[in-house]
Amino acid sequence: MISSVLPTYARASHAFVRGEGSWLVDEEGHRFLDAGGGIAVSVLGHAHPELVKALKKQADLLWHTSNLYRIPNQERLADLLVEHTFADTVFFTNSGTEATEAAVKMARKYWHFHGNPDRNVIIALKDSFHGRTTTMISASGSAKLTEGFSPLTPGFQQVPPNEIEEVASAIDDSTAAVMVEPILGEGGIKPLSDTFLSDLRQLCDDRDILLIMDEIQTGMGRTGKLFAHEWSGAAPDIMAIAKGIGGGFPLGACLATEKAAAGMVTGTHGSTYGGNPLACAVGTAVMKIVSDQDFLAGVRRRAGYLRQRLEAVVATHPKIFSEIRGTGFMLGVKCRVNNGDFVKAGYDQKLLTVPAGDNVVRLLPPLNISEEELAEAVDRIERTAECLESSCDG
């Protein structure tokens, strides 16, 4: 008999009832160190006092009105995002996949607006992940995501990451935009090089096409900059964000330059819930904290400490690990054992991590995690490796 909750997830048996900073507490009272951050969502940990305060204050005032009316909280958050990014304008959504959908619509509408509706193909990267709607799995193109869901949405093609000549060869008169994640997250924490991103920006300018960046997982301070593309200096025309912007409250956004958004006039897109007063109150609280340069400097410093400690663990346990990749607090440890086995073995050490493609285990802790908690996380990773080594030797 099917469960009342549609069984589309391979869930662990743990059920958490309370969160405290970098820790989650289950029904039996066991404390788990959360190095997964709800898949890069809980950028300020669990029950952060400023977020709780913002949520409670707004909850007593007004939850929802719809976008039929002005929403002052939405305007305040949009102003902050514009102030701290390349963007001139923001459309709010409830999730990441809605943000990438909005980005694709915007790119296609741009060319329609300029009298070239046949220029509608989006070039994406192999091993990318942009969400699970029919259109976004079509963008990624992988069999793992698309099998059983045909017919797929047309208008996408995929090229290998970090291969600028492949992108250049794929561009033709039907190309509307190129869409990339600065670090491929679900694909296995595969960073795009700064050189590739810089060359891609120049290529898009030279060929007069739009550049879309999906910073749903890489954004909101995750890599030590507010957004990951800042490391390369290559700004997009359109950017999708979500996850960290709400700190655990469902919120996403599509940011754009005035030029790229030219075709998005009244009636071209909408959302009933997107950017409602409650979501934007929390998002504003997150943004004020995470955009602070001292906060980001602390992220970079502590992420460097974590990377250094992890490199030593990887070197000590070559039967379990092969390499570390990623930036800031978006790290992937490539395993020689099955990554799912490592994640499960971590539960015995009261450690939470996240699997990804290419047999990688992701570490996506809260950005305000302390150095002492990072040291504890590394110790638990090492104990997990030792337990797996014993199993391997046995």
Side-chain angles (χ1 to χ4, degrees):
M1 180 181 293
I2 194 168
S3 63
S4 59
V5 176
L6 191 69
T8 56
Y9 300 105
R11 299 179 192 267
S13 60
H14 305 287
F16 298 105
V17 296
R18 191 170 75 254
E20 302 167 352
S22 301
W23 300 84
L24 284 170
V25 182
D26 70 9
E27 293 172 311
E28 286 76 39
H30 301 125
R31 290 169 57 84
F32 287 71
L33 184 51
D34 185 5
I39 318 181
V41 168
S42 303
V43 291
L44 297 175
H46 303 284
H48 189 282
E50 290 300 314
L51 273 59
V52 172
K53 178 181 176 182
L55 181 65
K56 286 183 174 180
K57 180 180 179 181
Q58 187 60 45
D60 284 336
L61 296 173
L62 179 66
W63 290 22
H64 177 74
T65 62
S66 89
N67 283 292
L68 292 173
Y69 315 101
R70 283 185 53 231
I71 301 175
N73 283 355
Q74 188 179 112
E75 294 165 4
R76 281 189 281 271
L77 180 52
D79 287 344
L80 279 173
L81 288 165
V82 167
E83 176 186 349
H84 289 282
T85 70
F86 71 95
D88 300 310
T89 190
V90 182
F91 178 86
F92 289 102
T93 68
N94 309 285
S95 66
T97 192
E98 290 174 75
T100 50
E101 287 267 1
V104 166
K105 286 184 68 175
M106 184 178 290
R108 288 175 172 162
K109 191 67 172 179
Y110 171 86
W111 290 109
H112 188 278
F113 179 78
H114 287 290
N116 199 343
D118 293 331
R119 201 164 181 176
N120 52 35
V121 174
I122 311 294
I123 297 172
L125 301 182
K126 294 179 180 178
D127 298 325
S128 63
F129 182 85
H130 300 294
R132 292 186 182 273
T133 60
T134 302
T135 296
M136 287 303 109
I137 63 173
S138 303
S140 299
S142 72
K144 179 181 177 181
L145 294 171
T146 61
E147 185 177 0
F149 298 112
S150 296
L152 300 178
T153 305
F156 296 96
Q157 62 185 119
Q158 295 81 30
V159 298
N162 282 319
E163 298 288 344
I164 195 66
E165 293 303 324
E166 294 276 0
V167 180
S169 296
I171 295 172
D172 59 26
D173 291 342
S174 69
T175 306
V178 179
M179 180 165 63
V180 301
E181 303 165 87
I183 302 174
L184 278 65
E186 295 284 338
I189 310 296
K190 297 176 180 177
L192 302 183
S193 71
D194 288 347
T195 299
F196 174 79
L197 288 173
S198 296
D199 290 347
L200 182 60
R201 176 68 273 178
Q202 188 62 54
L203 178 63
C204 289
D205 289 340
D206 292 345
R207 300 289 189 92
D208 191 26
I209 59 175
L210 298 173
L211 176 57
I212 302 170
M213 289 202 189
D214 177 343
E215 291 241 26
I216 291 166
Q217 191 166 158
T218 57
M220 295 308 297
R222 176 60 50 190
T223 68
K225 297 279 191 181
L226 186 58
F227 292 101
H229 69 264
E230 295 174 27
W231 289 104
S232 68
D237 302 295
I238 304 170
M239 180 171 71
I241 67 172
K243 288 188 180 288
I245 183 63
F249 198 96
L251 180 62
C254 178
L255 286 66
T257 63
E258 183 174 4
K259 174 186 173 182
M264 301 301 285
V265 296
T266 301
T268 54
H269 198 46
S271 171
T272 299
Y273 292 107
N276 77 7
L278 206 55
C280 286
V282 179
T284 299
V286 173
M287 186 67 185
K288 286 180 177 179
I289 295 170
V290 173
S291 63
D292 181 79
Q293 290 302 313
D294 289 339
F295 178 88
L296 292 169
V299 172
R300 294 192 291 272
R301 183 181 64 253
R302 283 176 281 110
Y305 169 79
L306 174 61
R307 182 68 174 253
Q308 184 179 38
R309 289 288 309 272
L310 284 173
E311 292 283 4
V313 171
V314 168
T316 304
H317 300 280
K319 289 184 179 180
I320 307 300
F321 308 118
S322 62
E323 65 170 328
I324 299 173
R325 54 204 191 204
T327 304
F329 281 142
M330 187 175 179
L331 297 180
V333 184
K334 185 168 171 59
C335 297
R336 298 190 191 279
V337 297
N338 181 274
N339 63 343
D341 291 342
F342 184 91
V343 171
K344 290 176 183 177
Y347 297 149
D348 293 334
Q349 303 302 324
K350 304 297 185 290
L351 175 71
L352 304 177
T353 58
V354 180
D358 199 28
N359 206 37
V360 161
V361 170
R362 277 179 283 183
L363 301 176
L364 306 162
L367 304 187
N368 56 348
I369 189 172
S370 70
E371 193 166 296
E372 292 75 19
E373 289 169 328
L374 289 171
E376 181 62 32
V378 173
D379 288 345
R380 295 184 187 208
I381 289 169
E382 183 150 37
R383 291 201 298 270
T384 302
E386 290 168 350
C387 290
L388 290 171
E389 280 176 336
S390 299
S391 300
C392 293
D393 292 340

